[in-house]
Each structure stands twice: as structure tokens, then as C-alpha cells.
């Protein structure tokens, strides 16, 4: 009985314990489920709130922002959005300044963040633009170097261009230096008169001032630059052709030394002068018009149009015949005297150096004063030999222009007419000023030409 009671009591106790444990387990599970449910509700609520906030933010800008924005517009939009959030009711003045700013550190932080963001994106864009500019500059410098390289290669062998440029520079420098004397000489050749050169210069200065000394000089330089350039280039070319012909006729080697005689130099210079004058003769006519009638024509173009309207295209070539005839002795004598004298003096100086035991391989170069004197001598001789034809050329150029009558039909008629009416001395009117202008002008031209030859490393035969 006792054992049975004890067994029953033990069983009851075990059942009670099991029931209590089961109840505790159920309560624990209920608490876990409750906490999970609570966390789930909280997470869902937070997600919903975040989604609503994002939707509201995106929705407020959706109508203003395009689907794809460039970096500058996006930076600007972010900056404006952040700055707008610092203004109460987004109220601004007419100049864009916030009307009622919000206070607090949040506002300052937002504004600072907006400024920093805009500056950062601006820096990125500036960096990209800088890289683009570096690429452009690099490409330009590469192109420039290639062009310079090809130009230098071409220039090393461009003897033709060098001779033309040397002659052109020599002509411009010399004519500008003696422009006042040439103006007086042209006036005396055209209208005659017995006033001396000093009187002409004084009257010119009194009536027209300093600019009167250089009237027509622009057209003169425009004419003399190509004229002198072609003259020197053609002279050097003709000389080289004569040397090659003499070598071939004598059966000599291509590098055999050949010396041209004075007559050959005169022929080469004469043909060079004729070719150059025929190429630029219309500019010579315009220069004469500007010199004689400075108030009538506003410039070179106006003088061209004036000649064409008054006498037609043939007016641009009036006096070409006597010019070509005069150019042969004029330029031929000038080149012949200068080069023949120059070669003789250089040979004399070389022989004296050799006799004194000097360096025979050294190049003999004439002093500047000697070159100036030789050029002056050559210019004076050339001007004197061709001056009568120069007077005839000037008279024919102004016929039928500005009310001047047409008196002469051709060169011969003009020579006989001037000599018959005014005497033989009329054919030498203006020779004094012309020689005074030619002597320093030719000397300066040859000095400049020799300098340019040395500068360009050119040599003559």
C-alpha cells in the first residue's frame, strides 16, 4: 500500500513537472514570436516610411529633371535643391537670395555640403576640360613642328626664293631711302622747268610737308620689290646658263671654273632688266600717277581704276616700248660695272693677301664703303645711258590722263617731238636729281643684296 502510494506520488510529481516544463516552453515560444512579430512590424513600418520619403523626394524633382543629366546640370540641381531646403517656404528675392533663411547647424551643414558638392563636380569638369585642352595643344604643337620641319627642308634648297627675296628687300630699302629725290626727279622729267633740286625739295616740303617726300612710295615699293627680285634672280640664272654653255662648248667638267667677261654680264643683266620691267610695268604707271597727281587718287587701287576709266587697259602699258629698250642698257650696264669692278677688286685684295703670306682659303669680302661706291658708280653710269628713254617713258605714261593732251604716237615720235620743241637738253631734264637718287639708291641696293646673300648663304658665278 505504501509502495503503491509512493509510486503514485512519484508519477504525479513527474506529470506535474512535465506539465510545468511544457507551459514554460509555450510561454517562451510565445514571447519569441511576439518579439519577432513586433520587429517585423517595426521593420515594415521603417521601410514604408523610407519608401514614402524617397517617393516624395523623387516626385518633387521628377518634373524638373530629365531622364539623363549631364554632370554640370546634375551638380547645379543638387546644389539648388540643398540650398532651397535652407529657405522657409522656398522664398527668394528677385536676385535669387533667400528671403527667410532657416537657422541651425543643419542648414549650415546642408549649405556647406551643397557648396562642397558643386565645387567637387566643378573640379572634375575642370580637370576633364584641362585634359581636352592639353590634347588640343599637343596636336597643334605636333602639327606646327611638322610644318616647320618641311618648311626648313624646302628652304635649304630654295635658292630661287632666296634670290628673289634678297633682291626684293634690297629694292625696298634702297627706294625708300631715296624717295624724296625720286619724287623731285619724276616731277622734273614730266613737267620740265629750270628749278634746281634744292628749290624743288623746299617747295615740296612747303606745300605738302614730310609726307610729300614719300608720295607714291607705296606703289614704288610694290613695283621695285618684284622688279629687283626678278632682276637679281634672272641675272644669276642667265649667268649660270652662260657658264654651263661655255663649259659644254669647251668640253670641260661640270665643276670647272669659268669667268664671264664684261659683255656677257651686260647681256645677262640687260635681258634680266627687260623681263623684270615687263612683268611689273602697270605698277610703274600707277606710281607715276600717284607722284604727279597725289590729290586725285586716294591710293594704289584708285589710281589703277582711274587709269582704266580714262584711257582703258592700254594706259597701263603706255611707254612700255621705250622702257624695254631703256632697260637693256640700264640694267645691263649697272650689273656689268658693279660685278666686273667687284671681281677685279676682290682679285686684287686676294693677290695682296697671298703676297703677304695670309690665308689663301679665306673669303675676300669688300668693305661696305667700297660696295657703296661701286654701286653708286654703276647706278650713275646706267642712269646716264638710259635717261633720254626714261624721259620719253614718263611723257608717254601721262598722255590722255588728267586732261593731258595726247601729243605723241610712239617712242620715235616722242623723241623727235621733245627734241624739236624743247631741244636735245629736254631729253636730259631731271638727270641731276635722278643721278642723285640713283647713286645712293643703287649703292644701298647692292649693299643690302650682298648682306642678304651672306645671310642666305648664296653664291654667284
Amino acid at each position: 500500500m505504501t509502495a503503491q502510494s509512493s509510486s503514485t506520488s512519484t508519477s504525479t510529481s513527474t506529470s506535474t513537472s512535465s506539465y510545468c516544463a511544457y507551459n514554460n516552453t509555450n510561454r517562451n515560444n510565445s514571447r519569441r514570436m511576439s518579439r519577432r512579430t513586433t520587429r517585423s512590424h517595426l521593420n515594415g513600418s521603417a521601410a514604408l516610411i523610407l519608401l514614402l520619403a524617397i517617393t516624395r523626394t523623387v516626385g518633387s524633382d521628377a518634373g524638373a529633371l530629365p531622364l539623363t543629366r549631364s554632370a554640370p546640370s546634375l551638380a547645379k540641381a543638387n546644389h539648388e535643391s540643398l540650398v532651397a531646403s535652407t529657405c522657409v517656404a522656398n522664398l527668394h528675392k528677385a536676385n535669387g537670395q533667400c528671403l527667410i533663411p532657416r537657422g541651425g547647424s543643419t542648414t549650415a551643414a546642408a549649405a556647406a555640403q551643397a557648396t562642397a558638392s558643386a565645387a567637387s563636380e566643378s573640379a572634375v569638369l575642370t580637370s576633364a576640360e584641362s585634359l581636352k585642352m592639353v590634347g588640343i595643344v599637343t596636336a597643334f604643337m605636333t602639327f606646327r613642328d611638322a610644318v616647320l620641319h618641311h618648311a626648313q627642308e624646302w628652304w635649304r634648297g630654295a635658292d630661287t626664293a632666296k634670290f628673289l627675296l634678297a633682291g626684293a628687300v634690297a629694292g625696298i630699302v634702297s627706294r625708300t631711302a631715296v624717295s624724296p629725290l625720286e619724287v623731285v626727279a619724276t616731277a622734273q622729267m614730266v613737267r620740265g622747268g629750270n628749278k634746281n633740286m634744292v628749290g624743288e625739295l623746299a617747295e615740296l616740303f612747303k606745300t605738302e610737308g614730310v609726307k610729300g617726300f614719300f608720295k607714291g612710295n607705296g606703289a614704288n615699293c610694290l613695283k621695285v620689290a618684284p622688279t629687283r627680285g626678278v632682276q637679281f634672280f634672272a641675272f644669276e640664272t642667265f649667268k649660270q646658263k652662260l657658264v654651263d654653255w661655255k663649259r659644254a662648248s669647251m668640253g670641260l667638267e661640270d665643276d670647272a671654273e669659268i669667268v664671264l667677261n664684261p659683255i656677257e654680264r651686260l647681256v645677262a643683266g640687260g635681258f634680266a632688266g627687260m623681263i623684270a620691267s615687263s612683268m611689273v610695268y602697270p605698277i610703274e604707271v600707277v606710281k607715276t600717277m600717284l607722284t604727279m597727281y597725289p590729290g586725285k587718287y586716294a591710293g594704289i587701287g584708285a589710281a589703277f581704276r582711274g587709269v582704266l576709266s580714262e584711257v582703258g587697259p592700254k594706259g597701263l602699258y603706255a611707254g612700255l616700248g621705250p622702257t624695254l629698250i631703256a632697260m637693256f642698257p640700264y640694267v645691263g650696264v649697272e650689273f656689268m660695272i658693279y660685278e666686273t669692278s667687284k671681281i677685279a677688286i676682290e682679285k686684287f685684295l686676294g693677290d695682296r693677301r697671298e703676297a703677304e703670306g695670309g690665308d689663301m682659303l679665306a673669303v675676300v669680302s669688300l668693305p661696305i664703303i667700297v660696295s657703296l661706291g661701286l654701286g653708286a658708280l654703276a647706278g650713275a653710269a646706267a642712269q646716264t645711258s638710259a635717261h633720254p628713254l626714261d624721259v620719253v617713258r614718263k611723257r608717254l605714261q601721262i598722255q590722255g590722263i588728267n586732261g593731258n593732251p595726247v601729243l605723241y604716237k610712239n617712242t620715235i615720235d616722242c623723241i623727235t617731238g621733245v627734241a624739236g620743241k624743247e631741244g636735245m637738253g629736254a631729253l636730259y631734264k631731271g638727270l641731276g636729281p635722278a643721278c642723285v637718287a640713283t647713286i645712293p639708291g643703287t649703292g644701298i641696293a647692292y649693299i643690302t643684296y650682298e648682306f642678304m646673300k651672306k645671310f642666305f648663304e648664296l653664291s654667284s658665278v
Side-chain angles (χ1 to χ4, degrees):
M1 187 68 181
T2 303
Q4 185 177 0
S5 299
S6 176
S7 176
T8 301
S9 175
T10 302
S11 176
T12 302
S13 176
T14 301
S15 297
T16 303
S17 299
S18 298
Y19 177 76
C20 290
Y22 174 76
N23 288 337
N24 290 334
T25 300
N26 286 339
R27 282 195 298 272
N28 291 334
N29 288 337
S30 296
R31 293 191 189 98
R32 291 194 197 99
M33 290 297 294
S34 177
R35 284 196 295 269
R36 287 175 184 169
T37 302
T38 302
R39 282 197 298 269
S40 176
H41 285 303
L42 290 174
N43 291 338
S45 299
L48 182 59
I49 293 171
L50 180 61
L51 180 60
L52 289 174
I54 293 174
T55 302
R56 181 178 180 184
T57 302
V58 174
S60 64
D61 287 343
L65 292 175
L67 294 178
T68 56
R69 286 190 171 187
S70 60
S73 61
L74 187 58
K76 182 178 179 181
N78 291 338
H79 177 72
E80 290 177 352
S81 176
L82 288 170
V83 172
S85 64
T86 64
C87 286
V88 175
N90 198 17
L91 297 175
H92 295 82
K93 297 179 181 179
N95 59 2
Q97 186 179 356
C98 182
L99 185 64
I100 307 176
R102 299 180 190 274
S105 59
T106 305
T107 300
Q113 182 182 357
T115 304
S117 176
S120 175
E121 296 196 13
S122 176
V124 172
L125 292 173
T126 303
S127 177
E129 292 294 332
S130 299
L131 290 175
K132 187 184 295 184
M133 288 301 298
V134 168
I136 293 173
V137 171
T138 303
F140 172 76
M141 293 180 66
T142 303
F143 174 76
R144 182 202 62 180
D145 293 341
V147 171
L148 288 177
H149 174 72
H150 288 295
Q152 290 170 353
E153 290 295 326
W154 171 82
W155 183 251
R156 289 190 184 97
D159 288 348
T160 299
K162 292 177 182 178
F163 276 119
L164 289 171
L165 183 58
V169 172
I172 291 173
V173 172
S174 63
R175 287 304 175 91
T176 302
V178 298
S179 177
L181 299 175
E182 186 158 345
V183 170
V184 171
T186 300
Q188 288 192 350
M189 282 188 288
V190 171
R191 70 168 180 259
N194 298 319
K195 189 176 291 186
N196 59 29
M197 184 182 63
V198 177
E200 289 278 5
L201 288 172
E203 183 179 352
L204 182 63
F205 179 75
K206 182 179 179 180
T207 56
E208 302 183 38
V210 175
K211 67 179 182 180
F213 293 150
F214 297 94
K215 61 183 180 180
N217 189 56
N220 204 5
C221 289
L222 187 63
K223 181 208 76 165
V224 78
T227 299
R228 273 302 195 179
V230 172
Q231 276 183 6
F232 280 111
F233 167 69
F235 179 59
E236 300 290 347
T237 302
F238 280 128
K239 287 193 303 178
Q240 187 62 53
K241 295 296 182 183
L242 284 172
V243 168
D244 294 340
W245 176 78
K246 292 181 73 172
R247 284 173 181 162
S249 62
M250 296 178 184
L252 300 176
E253 298 292 334
D254 292 341
D255 57 349
E257 184 177 355
I258 296 291
V259 178
L260 298 177
N261 59 51
I263 300 300
E264 290 169 335
R265 295 183 186 277
L266 185 146
V267 172
F271 281 114
M274 294 177 71
I275 291 173
S277 296
S278 63
M279 291 178 62
V280 297
Y281 189 76
I283 303 177
E284 170 68 21
V285 175
V286 170
K287 189 266 293 186
T288 301
M289 296 300 104
L290 290 173
T291 301
M292 295 307 304
Y293 312 109
K296 182 176 180 180
Y297 306 108
I300 296 174
F304 262 113
R305 292 189 295 271
V307 173
L308 290 174
S309 63
E310 292 186 42
V311 293
K314 67 178 182 179
L316 295 175
Y317 293 91
L320 179 61
T323 299
L324 295 181
I325 296 173
M327 281 299 106
F328 190 90
Y330 184 93
V331 181
V333 168
E334 180 186 306
F335 277 127
M336 179 192 70
I337 292 177
Y338 177 80
E339 286 219 334
T340 303
S341 303
K342 175 175 174 285
I343 292 172
I345 294 175
E346 286 177 345
K347 186 176 183 303
F348 170 76
L349 294 176
D351 292 342
R352 190 174 70 174
R353 177 184 291 176
E354 183 179 354
E356 294 174 353
D359 187 4
M360 294 184 297
L361 298 178
V363 177
V364 177
S365 107
L366 295 181
I368 293 178
I369 189 65
V370 175
S371 296
L372 181 63
L374 292 179
L377 176 64
Q383 184 64 45
T384 303
S385 65
H387 191 76
L389 290 172
D390 205 15
V391 172
V392 171
R393 172 170 63 94
K394 299 290 186 185
R395 296 288 182 97
L396 292 175
Q397 283 177 349
I398 65 168
Q399 283 192 135
I401 297 176
N402 200 39
N404 292 313
V406 178
L407 301 175
Y408 313 108
K409 297 178 180 179
N410 50 47
T411 302
I412 303 299
D413 187 33
C414 185
I415 293 175
T416 57
V418 171
K421 295 178 182 178
E422 305 176 39
M424 289 297 296
L427 294 174
Y428 287 90
K429 283 183 178 179
L431 178 60
C435 284
V436 171
T438 300
I439 288 173
T442 307
I444 293 171
Y446 278 106
I447 290 174
T448 308
Y449 181 65
E450 294 294 341
F451 171 79
M452 296 299 293
K453 281 173 61 178
K454 290 180 181 178
F455 180 77
F456 291 141
E457 299 180 350
L458 298 171
S459 60
S460 302
V461 294

